Amino acid sequence: METLVQKIAEYKAEIKNYIAQKSEEAEAFRIKYLGSKGVVKDVMGEMKNVAAEKRKEFGLLLNEFKLFTEAKYEELKNATANGEEAAAVGMDLTLPGDPLPVGTRHPISLVRNQIVSIFQRLGFAVAEGPEVEDDWHNFTALNMPENHTARDMQDTFYISQNPDWILRTHTSSVQVREMEKGKLPIRIVCPGRVYRNETISARAHCFFHQVEGLYIADNVSFADLKQTLYFFVKEMFGENVKVRFRPSYFPFTEPSAEMDISCLICGGKGCNVCKHTGWVEILGCGMVHPNLLENCGIDSNKYTGFAFGMGVERITMLKYQIKDLRLFSENDVRFLRQFSGAV
Ligand code: 2NL
């Protein structure tokens, strides 16, 4: 009896530690312990050798052993059935899943979307056009005829197959195309990539991104231009940002202005970013030159309009305090990943 009790205890320890990776191993367990010639049956057969007065006690022990073995078998059977496929490829289903490699939006896309959505809320529609343009839509229609000095500042890239084709230097060319359609009023923003033949540095690149805007209708005034851009600045940079307009010159607008905002870094006190002036330039704007309207078949006595243009890189650099424009096109994920939280 004593040896039998000990034997059962040893079997129990063995059973407790039994591991099955596959359903075949669970089945092997069943055959070994619960089969017709298995351990449980074998131990039960010992009953006849137990003294009569100990039989009840031994019976209880045997029964408990049988239930214990059966429970273990159920456990092994279920575990191997569920994990069969996983076990076959050596997979541990209890491990947490691998994170999906989700990318992040590019900071230029983030800021462009923000700019566009602010103007969309004011009723501006989005218009897009080709990056390879002809001379008319990029320069001549915009009051910049051949040999105009303003072309000098917008030197670009030429397409060798056709001397009339260039990479656009601004998205004004898209606005010219919209004006030529002759459907008025026009209220559009034109986001897109533009090109200039510049020496690459921390502040200039041979391509950048613009959002230009155009509003042409009856009685559009400079006051409308100011109010629209005030709204844009407050939405983009916050309520407390101050705005000022400085007179300027563009061939396509008259009068023309540049708009500054109070420096976001020093709040107007003076720092490196604002070159100690307290102000930073963010865009150019003005009333559409009547020559442009006429070039596109719009009656300049009946219609007036305003236009503006801004560089997305510039706004992004101010917003996120980025000091070198080249970071935007180097595809260094250490830089790009920093915008994963931005929307
Ligand atoms: C700048 C200045 C500007 C415009 C763009 C424009 C377009 C048409 C007619 C009149 Cl179709 N004007 N665009 C006007 C003033 C300034 O951009 O510094 N951009 C980065």
Side-chain angles (χ1 to χ4, degrees):
M1 171 80 186
E2 294 299 280
T3 49
L4 266 176
V5 172
Q6 199 184 340
K7 216 168 161 191
I8 289 172
E10 280 166 16
Y11 278 134
K12 277 181 80 172
E14 194 180 297
I15 288 165
K16 191 166 170 250
N17 295 326
Y18 195 98
I19 298 166
Q21 300 277 350
K22 301 181 194 147
S23 54
E24 288 96 313
E25 288 161 359
E27 179 59 8
F29 175 91
R30 190 191 65 78
I31 294 166
K32 179 173 178 191
Y33 293 100
L34 296 164
S36 54
K37 290 179 186 149
V39 168
V40 173
K41 272 267 157 58
D42 192 34
V43 192
M44 280 180 160
E46 297 286 343
M47 188 67 119
K48 61 181 183 301
N49 303 326
V50 174
E53 69 277 14
K54 293 262 186 185
R55 283 214 179 128
K56 195 175 172 203
E57 190 194 331
F58 187 62
L60 284 171
L61 183 67
L62 271 183
N63 203 39
E64 193 267 333
F65 177 54
K66 185 169 176 253
L67 290 174
F68 175 82
T69 314
E70 283 170 350
K72 176 73 182 187
Y73 170 61
E74 283 302 312
E75 191 187 298
L76 293 175
K77 195 171 67 171
N78 290 337
T80 51
N82 293 341
E84 188 80 323
E85 257 183 72
V89 290
M91 193 191 284
D92 181 353
L93 287 180
T94 64
L95 287 174
D98 288 333
L100 284 174
V102 180
T104 61
R105 262 190 222 292
H106 193 282
I108 295 297
S109 302
L110 287 169
V111 172
R112 178 207 52 210
N113 291 351
Q114 263 171 22
I115 297 169
V116 166
S117 93
I118 293 169
F119 286 106
Q120 279 178 320
R121 278 189 275 140
L122 289 174
F124 285 77
V126 174
E128 287 178 308
E131 288 183 23
V132 179
E133 261 300 359
D134 54 44
D135 184 278
W136 169 258
H137 291 100
N138 195 81
F139 290 126
T140 310
L142 286 154
N143 227 9
M144 293 163 82
E146 220 179 318
N147 302 321
H148 191 291
T149 46
R151 284 196 183 200
D152 228 31
M153 284 188 289
Q154 297 195 11
D155 188 22
T156 181
F157 301 97
Y158 296 79
I159 311 291
S160 52
Q161 286 97 322
N162 187 335
D164 195 44
W165 289 346
I166 54 165
L167 295 186
R168 68 182 181 194
T169 60
H170 43 205
T171 59
S172 310
S173 54
V174 182
Q175 294 170 315
V176 170
R177 288 176 179 278
E178 287 298 315
M179 288 194 282
E180 284 175 339
K181 288 180 185 165
K183 221 174 137 256
L184 291 149
I186 294 171
R187 192 156 55 195
I188 52 170
V189 279
C190 302
R193 183 175 285 184
V194 301
Y195 301 82
R196 304 227 175 142
N197 187 5
E198 301 258 4
T199 305
I200 295 167
S201 72
R203 299 164 150 270
H205 212 298
C206 58
F207 66 83
F208 63 100
H209 298 78
Q210 255 198 332
V211 176
E212 286 215 5
L214 178 69
Y215 179 29
I216 302 175
D218 305 321
N219 287 323
V220 176
S221 70
F222 203 91
D224 297 319
L225 166 63
K226 287 178 82 171
Q227 208 53 47
T228 304
L229 295 178
Y230 280 153
F231 178 80
F232 165 70
V233 166
K234 304 281 172 195
E235 290 296 301
M236 193 73 198
F237 300 105
E239 276 300 318
N240 300 325
V241 173
K242 291 201 254 323
V243 173
R244 78 174 183 187
F245 284 85
R246 279 177 295 106
S248 185
Y249 171 79
F250 302 107
F252 21 85
T253 45
E254 184 59 40
S256 304
E258 274 164 311
M259 193 171 89
D260 296 345
I261 59 169
S262 51
C263 181
L264 301 171
I265 312 300
C266 64
K269 289 192 193 73
C271 68
N272 283 338
V273 173
C274 60
K275 297 193 201 91
H276 302 280
T277 63
W279 296 95
V280 283
E281 183 197 319
I282 62 159
L283 57 82
C285 57
M287 300 306 292
V288 178
H289 197 294
N291 287 359
L292 253 82
L293 298 173
E294 297 296 335
N295 284 344
C296 299
I298 296 170
D299 184 350
S300 63
N301 292 312
K302 187 160 184 282
Y303 291 103
T304 52
F306 68 70
F308 56 86
M310 64 188 95
V312 182
E313 275 79 354
R314 186 169 176 77
I315 309 265
T316 310
M317 288 168 89
L318 282 173
K319 202 172 153 85
Y320 292 111
Q321 298 180 35
I322 298 162
K323 299 236 154 38
D324 193 322
L325 185 119
R326 288 168 289 198
L327 285 163
F328 293 128
S329 51
E330 282 170 348
N331 293 336
D332 186 334
V333 291
R334 291 169 303 179
F335 170 69
L336 297 172
R337 279 197 189 122
Q338 295 177 76
F339 300 91
S340 61
V343 279

